[in-house]
Amino acid sequence: MRHSTHTPAPGRRRRAALLAVSALAAGLLPLTTAGAASADDPAPVPVDRFEGEVPFASQPAEGLFTWGGDADDNPKLELKERADAPEGAKVLEGSYDISGYGGFTHDYAADQPAHDWTAHQGIRLWWYGDGSGRKIPFEIKDGGAHGEASELWNTSFTDDFTGWKQIELPFTQFAYRTDYQPVGGIDHVLGLDRMWGYSLTLPAGVKGQFAVDDVELYGKADPALRAQVSTDAAVLPVKEGGSARVKVSVTTTGNVPLADDVTVAYATDGGTATPGTDYRPVSGKVSFPAGTASGASKTVTVTTSKDREKAETAETIPLKLTVTGAKSPAETPQVVIDAHGLPYLDAKLPVKKRVADLVSRMSLAEKAGQMTQAERGGVGAGADVTGYDLGSLLSGGGSTPTPNTAEAWAGMIDGFQLRAQATRFQIPLIYGVDAVHGHNNLPGATIMPHNIGIGATRDPQLAQKTGSVTASEVRATGVPWDFAPCLCVSRDERWGRSYESFGEDPALVTSMETMVQGFQGRADGSDLDRGDRVLATAKHFVGDGGTAYGSSTSGTYTVDQGVTTVTRQELEAVHLAPFSEAVDRGVGTVMPSYSSLDIIGDDQGPVKMHGDAAMINGELKGKLGFDGFVISDYNGIDQIPGDYASDIRTSVNAGVDMVMAPYAYKDFRDGLVTEVKAGRVTEKRIDDAVSRILTQKFKLGLFEKPYADTSRIGDIGSAGHRAVARQAAAESQVLLKNSGNVLPLKKSQKVYVAGSNADDLGNQTGGWTITWQGQSGKHTDGTTILQAMKKASPGAAIDYSKDASAPTAGYDVGVVVVGETPYAEGVGDVGNGNDLELTAADKAAVDKVCGAMKCVVLMVSGRPQLIGDRLADIDGLVASWLPGTEGDGVVDVLYGKRAFTGQLPVTWPKSETQLPINVGDSSYDPQFPYGYGLTTSKKVPVGGEFTLKALALAAGHVHDAKAGRALVDTARLIVQRKAGDRITAAWAKPFADADHLSLTGDYAGALTTLLTAYREA
């Protein structure tokens, strides 16, 4: 390729220097050229001159290309001639307006050999500064198959100058990127012998322009790149009087023997422990001669002493290392003498007393740290956990350890917990994840149906079981906190989060909150310290499911993060009701919504929920009596109007106790301290927030057992857990049409299978699976619907043609599995590149198969799909939702191993123009009403008005929910049978209303209403 053989033009470096001097004289440039080169340095090697030698192109070709969180985040690039160009005639200029993330990349061609950068000290570039003070991340791509399947290493420089400046980035300065790796990481070694290019990330949240020129490799390779000294741990806690053994190791790139001698001088120095009193000082030197094998280690022992103090906070003993001949450890290891004798450490004391004792001892900065939650990718190896007294970390969607295994999760979180042991009070972290349908960030975990499917089961006991399985698998990896369940009441299926809701009816959502007990156990929190329980989160408070179409101001979203406009009565009846139930069930945390609330008649206008004191302090903590803690959503306070300081004080004063500031955690912690010192946030408010947080940490048993209990790792993805998911998948299937009793299928039938979602596990599991948005294809362990069909009928002929292009003659029945591809949050909003129509390919598959034979269509989707114009040609129609990893559950009902029992958790519309359409609407004419669901049970009830009246009479004497629901279900099936395919508005409205009444416990009212529907059929 052109760069691998390109050599600098004669006199090029001299020309650049002359240009800098002449420009300085003309007042154009500050004196900002890089340091003088050594005489034995190799000549610089160009990477990009931006003279047109590298095109705008993407893989597999070599080229420059842009990227971003969405299309609007991609910067605009051009090669432009400039008189002040530091090198050549042109520079790369660009403009940007980034709300999420964005930047540009230079990738070498994937079909050519990678480049070797090992001879050089680093990479440098000319940057035209604007003096903004913003950090500009710079990334290089090491190893792997090509630039988009390599290992990422990054550093940054600060744009704190104006005009052109040459920025030098030594390779020793680059760190392994911890928040994202495209191939999950390779060897965690910056080898530099297989390099694929670089990328620059541009500032977000502000419009800007940039100019860059002359990216090149410079200098002679630093010996520290070939060998590195490390210690076995950055923090080594010991009981007072114990000894810590610090293992000092040396490793080399490529695991070759040392080329030169390496010496490590050590000495205990500094820290909060007193030498001679708390420990015996040590100093000395260890050597690793040339020829030593990579991985060799030696041990330094630090011995502590018992003093006369019976109660002490933790004390630190840094072991300073001075390395010659290799790269030094990233940080100084610290021996920590454990805190002891203090009341808050006494597990026999009541939690309230332990909390009060600890809070009374903490500084303002330590309290602010407890109120701060950072993203694991933001803290790197975790030094800031100690440095900023952080109270919590999280993994956002797709933020995982490398490798992404259960053991690696436990090891990673234990490593972060170890950092917390170096703080004064050794307050453990509380680590949180979005395990919204199983431990969905972990390949191999049991993935449940999304909540919309759980709502379709109408089975509270099963909902609790799914929560229990999830809790067990999550806690086994060291995670004690789950940002679930979502208690949103989804009122518009155009919302990209509608599948996170149990349904459109607050009574249905409330009935499924047994999942909270599945997560936490008993409502008093006494089970939280068990190894199979996690702290639950009720989200998103309040009204996120009611945002109006077109009200969002977040990028290209149309519904998500918009405005919910309701009367006070509607707010309480629809959106607040599920949170009241959650508080009664003892939910430990609540998360506010990104959305805004506009209560008609209060003259406040739309108020961002993260700053809504009336709702968080007044309604949630006041009227509902919530005594857990409120955790913000991801960067949620940033959307409050005003600057960051006002965001901090507004949210905290409104009642937010912990703020999720994934990468801005330093700004939040320090900003909160400033706000308190200025008197804009009271210390009383801080103490309340910290007390709430610490209460949950004590209940979880984290002070006694901060590290992962991995004894249940073997249960992750186990047969027993998958059996629960399989049952949930089966019960979630809603049979909407069954002409000629095409279902259940017979194992003797010859079946033609088609459709995009028949054999795609990624589409079947949906968003929030392994990554935030999810992805098509196989990314975890599970069974697709096609695979399950073949397992269920091993002797039958089951042939698959995804696009239905194979001949259709000779088959008894066709099964076409269609629907959506994965998405999450506002990315999935209708109008944001999405609609409720099937793709052209799926429509063609349905038309071809259903035109040739009896057919069953399965909708694998997060919301209803418009099917009305094809309904007459379809014999069987099933709403499969997003059933998770267990396709066997879907097939269990297809082949009659289980009867179809699911009911619609949302109204199925005839057209998009009907939206929003919900149970209880005065005008209600759906394709299929809320609560609808046929059965294939062999015991289908029969009867007429007399039977329905008798059932209504019996309901007046029923006080048991199970018995009442059974009466209503019997009547529902009778009413459905009479209606057949003739679903009219006059029939649908009382039918849907009856299901709502049943869920509220009004079984007599439900049966009376079903009698009205029967008469309209």
Side-chain angles (χ1 to χ4, degrees):
M1 296 189 308
R2 60 177 65 91
H3 287 326
S4 60
T5 57
H6 184 86
T7 56
R12 176 179 168 204
R13 289 175 61 197
R14 178 173 176 271
R15 177 184 180 280
L18 288 172
L19 175 65
V21 172
S22 61
L24 177 65
L28 296 175
L29 293 175
L31 184 58
T32 52
T33 53
S38 173
D40 61 349
D41 280 358
V45 173
V47 177
D48 263 324
R49 298 183 61 224
F50 303 116
E51 300 300 310
E53 79 281 14
V54 177
F56 293 112
S58 57
Q59 288 288 333
E62 179 177 9
L64 295 159
F65 65 94
T66 62
W67 40 266
D70 56 43
D72 292 341
D73 284 347
N74 287 21
K76 308 296 187 295
L77 304 181
E78 66 172 323
L79 299 175
K80 189 171 182 179
E81 289 194 12
R82 284 176 58 150
D84 65 343
E87 193 282 332
K90 297 178 180 178
V91 303
L92 180 69
E93 284 194 356
S95 61
Y96 56 89
D97 183 7
I98 300 167
S99 59
Y101 62 89
F104 71 91
T105 290
H106 176 178
D107 269 355
Y108 297 144
D111 60 352
Q112 299 291 322
H115 293 211
D116 188 341
W117 294 2
T118 56
H120 295 276
Q121 179 184 353
I123 189 167
R124 65 189 180 194
L125 68 150
W126 286 87
W127 182 263
Y128 196 86
D130 62 9
S132 65
R134 297 186 183 91
K135 287 190 179 299
I136 310 296
F138 189 95
E139 188 168 271
I140 55 178
K141 304 186 170 197
D142 177 61
H146 52 77
E148 298 308 291
S150 57
E151 202 167 65
L152 306 182
W153 292 73
N154 57 17
T155 186
S156 65
F157 61 89
T158 303
D159 189 345
D160 56 1
F161 54 90
T162 55
W164 287 109
K165 179 178 179 179
Q166 192 173 41
I167 307 294
E168 290 192 344
L169 303 170
F171 291 134
T172 52
Q173 182 177 311
F174 283 81
Y176 179 82
R177 184 171 169 181
T178 57
D179 59 335
Y180 169 70
Q181 289 290 341
V183 289
I186 301 169
D187 57 8
H188 293 208
V189 175
L190 182 57
L192 296 174
D193 58 342
R194 288 180 52 78
M195 301 302 295
W196 293 102
Y198 69 89
S199 66
L200 268 136
T201 301
L202 297 166
V206 60
K207 290 184 179 180
Q209 294 181 321
F210 72 93
V212 62
D213 197 17
D214 192 23
V215 182
E216 64 182 10
L217 308 176
Y218 75 93
K220 184 180 179 180
D222 190 324
L225 286 168
R226 297 195 294 266
Q228 178 170 341
V229 169
S230 61
T231 58
D232 54 336
V235 177
L236 297 96
V238 294
K239 300 295 182 187
E240 187 182 58
S243 295
R245 294 170 58 84
V246 184
K247 188 166 73 172
V248 180
S249 304
V250 62
T251 54
T252 62
T253 299
N255 290 319
V256 298
L258 284 177
D260 303 293
D261 292 349
V262 173
T263 59
V264 183
Y266 60 87
T268 50
D269 184 31
T272 58
T274 304
T277 301
D278 295 317
Y279 69 96
R280 293 201 297 269
V282 297
S283 62
K285 184 183 291 185
V286 295
S287 299
F288 300 93
T292 299
S294 178
S297 63
K298 297 189 177 182
T299 301
V300 176
T301 301
V302 178
T303 302
T304 68
S305 308
K306 286 199 172 185
D307 57 26
R308 296 180 180 180
E309 298 291 336
K310 292 183 178 180
E312 291 181 290
T313 58
E315 298 170 306
T316 58
I317 310 167
L319 183 66
K320 294 192 175 179
L321 305 177
T322 304
V323 179
T324 304
K327 186 177 181 180
S328 299
E331 54 190 295
T332 297
Q334 293 191 83
V335 176
V336 179
I337 304 173
D338 286 339
H340 56 277
L342 298 169
Y344 77 89
L345 295 170
D346 186 353
K348 295 179 182 178
L349 288 178
V351 167
K352 191 172 183 179
K353 286 190 176 181
R354 297 178 75 182
V355 170
D357 176 68
L358 180 50
V359 171
S360 72
R361 299 173 186 277
M362 296 170 68
S363 69
L364 174 59
E366 288 167 329
K367 292 173 183 176
Q370 284 300 300
M371 295 173 65
T372 306
Q373 184 182 63
E375 174 24 82
R376 60 161 285 281
V379 300
D384 281 348
V385 171
T386 306
Y388 284 82
D389 294 288
L390 296 179
S392 181
L393 294 180
L394 83 148
S395 279
S399 178
T400 64
T402 302
N404 190 358
T405 63
E407 292 78 8
W409 273 90
M412 173 186 73
I413 294 169
D414 282 356
F416 290 134
Q417 288 288 16
L418 193 60
R419 299 294 187 148
Q421 295 300 299
T423 60
R424 192 161 64 119
F425 297 109
Q426 298 183 307
I427 302 172
L429 293 165
I430 180 170
Y431 200 103
V433 298
D434 286 278
V436 299
H437 64 141
H439 197 352
N440 43 248
N441 280 310
L442 176 65
T446 307
I447 304 299
M448 303 291 171
H450 269 294
N451 281 355
I452 194 168
I454 300 297
T457 69
R458 295 297 201 281
D459 190 338
Q461 289 182 320
L462 181 56
Q464 182 168 338
K465 284 183 183 178
T466 65
S468 294
V469 168
T470 297
S472 176
E473 297 197 2
V474 168
R475 193 71 182 259
T477 60
V479 179
W481 184 14
D482 188 356
F483 304 134
C486 187
L487 302 185
C488 48
V489 182
S490 176
R491 306 292 284 178
D492 189 337
E493 279 58 64
R494 290 172 292 188
W495 187 33
R497 299 191 83 138
S498 57
Y499 64 77
E500 295 187 50
S501 171
F502 292 116
E504 70 187 33
D505 182 356
L508 174 58
V509 174
T510 299
S511 73
M512 293 294 113
E513 290 186 52
T514 49
M515 191 178 282
V516 172
Q517 262 56 67
F519 288 139
Q520 294 193 169
R522 284 175 286 193
D524 63 1
S526 59
D527 290 337
L528 282 172
D529 61 349
R530 284 175 36 175
D532 60 349
R533 298 296 183 195
V534 293
L535 196 66
T537 306
K539 65 182 189 184
H540 303 90
F541 186 83
V542 59
D544 56 333
T547 50
Y549 186 87
S551 66
S552 179
T553 57
S554 296
T556 56
Y557 295 3
T558 58
V559 185
D560 193 34
Q561 304 182 22
V563 180
T564 299
T565 302
V566 287
T567 64
R568 168 61 66 170
Q569 182 181 4
E570 289 171 324
L571 174 66
E572 293 179 355
V574 176
H575 300 290
L576 269 173
F579 289 92
S580 177
E581 176 72 12
V583 170
D584 290 345
R585 289 184 176 276
V587 72
T589 63
V590 170
M591 181 183 291
S593 175
Y594 284 121
S595 58
S596 300
L597 184 63
D598 186 359
I599 302 175
I600 297 170
D602 71 355
D603 298 323
Q604 296 295 310
V607 179
K608 278 288 182 182
M609 280 308 312
H610 278 81
D612 197 332
M615 294 308 301
I616 300 174
N617 283 332
E619 195 73 37
L620 178 64
K621 292 181 175 180
K623 290 183 182 179
L624 299 185
F626 174 63
D627 60 4
F629 71 89
V630 175
I631 170 69
S632 87
D633 209 333
Y634 199 98
N635 286 329
I637 72 168
D638 295 22
Q639 296 192 14
I640 300 172
D643 60 20
Y644 198 59
S646 71
D647 292 347
I648 292 171
R649 63 177 173 268
T650 299
S651 58
V652 172
N653 286 333
V656 176
D657 301 304
M658 181 184 285
V659 168
M660 194 184 291
Y663 296 94
Y665 57 90
K666 297 177 185 178
D667 294 336
F668 172 77
R669 202 289 300 258
D670 293 346
L672 180 56
V673 169
T674 299
E675 290 301 303
V676 176
K677 288 181 176 179
R680 292 184 287 266
V681 177
T682 66
E683 292 200 36
K684 181 180 179 182
R685 170 70 194 103
I686 298 300
D687 287 352
D688 171 59
V690 175
S691 296
R692 289 169 176 268
I693 294 164
L694 293 177
T695 296
Q696 299 304 327
K697 289 186 177 185
F698 280 118
K699 285 183 176 181
L700 284 162
L702 294 176
F703 281 82
E704 289 69 49
K705 296 184 292 184
Y707 304 114
D709 175 1
T710 58
S711 60
R712 290 182 174 82
I713 274 185
D715 292 337
I716 294 175
S718 65
H721 286 182
R722 288 181 183 273
V724 174
R726 180 173 181 166
Q727 180 186 352
E731 291 191 26
S732 71
Q733 303 300 294
V734 181
L735 182 57
L736 299 174
K737 185 177 180 181
N738 194 25
S739 295
N741 293 322
V742 65
L743 290 174
L745 302 176
K746 300 175 180 62
K747 293 185 178 181
S748 60
Q749 288 177 308
K750 188 175 182 181
V751 185
Y752 186 102
V753 182
S756 59
N757 288 349
D759 195 33
D760 194 306
L761 195 63
N763 291 354
Q764 188 174 302
T765 51
W768 289 109
T769 311
I770 311 305
T771 59
W772 173 42
Q773 290 294 317
Q775 63 187 64
S776 299
K778 189 180 188 307
H779 50 32
T780 188
D781 298 332
T783 306
T784 67
I785 293 170
L786 176 66
Q787 291 168 338
M789 289 179 70
K790 290 182 175 180
K791 283 167 57 180
S793 301
I798 297 177
D799 297 320
Y800 174 56
S801 175
K802 181 176 180 179
D803 60 358
S805 60
T808 56
Y811 291 91
D812 299 310
V813 65
V815 174
V816 191
V817 189
V818 294
E820 296 185 302
T821 54
Y823 54 81
E825 300 191 38
V827 176
D829 282 353
V830 167
N832 188 22
N834 304 282
D835 56 37
L836 300 181
E837 296 279 352
L838 297 178
T839 65
D842 276 348
K843 288 178 180 178
V846 170
D847 291 344
K848 183 171 181 180
V849 176
C850 294
M853 65 191 81
K854 287 184 178 180
C855 74
V856 176
V857 174
L858 274 62
M859 289 288 187
V860 174
S861 61
R863 52 196 168 192
Q865 302 292 284
L866 301 176
I867 195 70
D869 56 347
R870 285 173 169 77
L871 189 57
D873 299 322
I874 295 170
D875 299 290
L877 179 63
V878 178
S880 288
W881 311 116
L882 299 169
T885 50
E886 308 312 298
D888 294 304
V890 179
V891 173
D892 283 344
V893 292
L894 280 183
Y895 277 95
K897 185 174 182 179
R898 287 177 177 269
F900 278 92
T901 56
Q903 294 176 246
L904 284 181
V906 293
T907 301
W908 198 286
K910 290 180 176 178
S911 68
E912 195 173 312
T913 59
Q914 287 187 311
L915 296 174
I917 182 171
N918 294 288
V919 58
D921 288 353
S922 57
S923 176
Y924 190 73
D925 186 19
Q927 189 87 65
F928 299 103
Y930 168 79
Y932 190 83
L934 304 173
T935 186
T936 50
S937 171
K938 294 178 181 177
K939 298 179 180 179
V940 181
V942 294
E945 281 201 34
F946 179 80
T947 304
L948 294 174
K949 289 177 180 178
L951 291 169
L953 185 63
H957 304 284
V958 166
H959 303 288
D960 174 72
K962 187 175 181 180
R965 284 291 298 169
L967 293 174
V968 175
D969 281 344
T970 298
R972 175 178 63 86
L973 294 171
I974 291 171
V975 173
Q976 282 183 169
R977 169 175 282 197
K978 185 185 180 191
D981 294 336
R982 300 180 304 280
I983 296 176
T984 63
W987 179 86
K989 180 170 174 51
F991 181 88
D993 290 345
D995 195 57
H996 166 73
L997 290 169
S998 176
L999 286 163
T1000 65
D1002 184 0
Y1003 307 115
L1007 285 158
T1008 300
T1009 308
L1010 281 172
L1011 181 59
T1012 300
Y1014 182 86
R1015 289 167 177 164
E1016 293 290 344

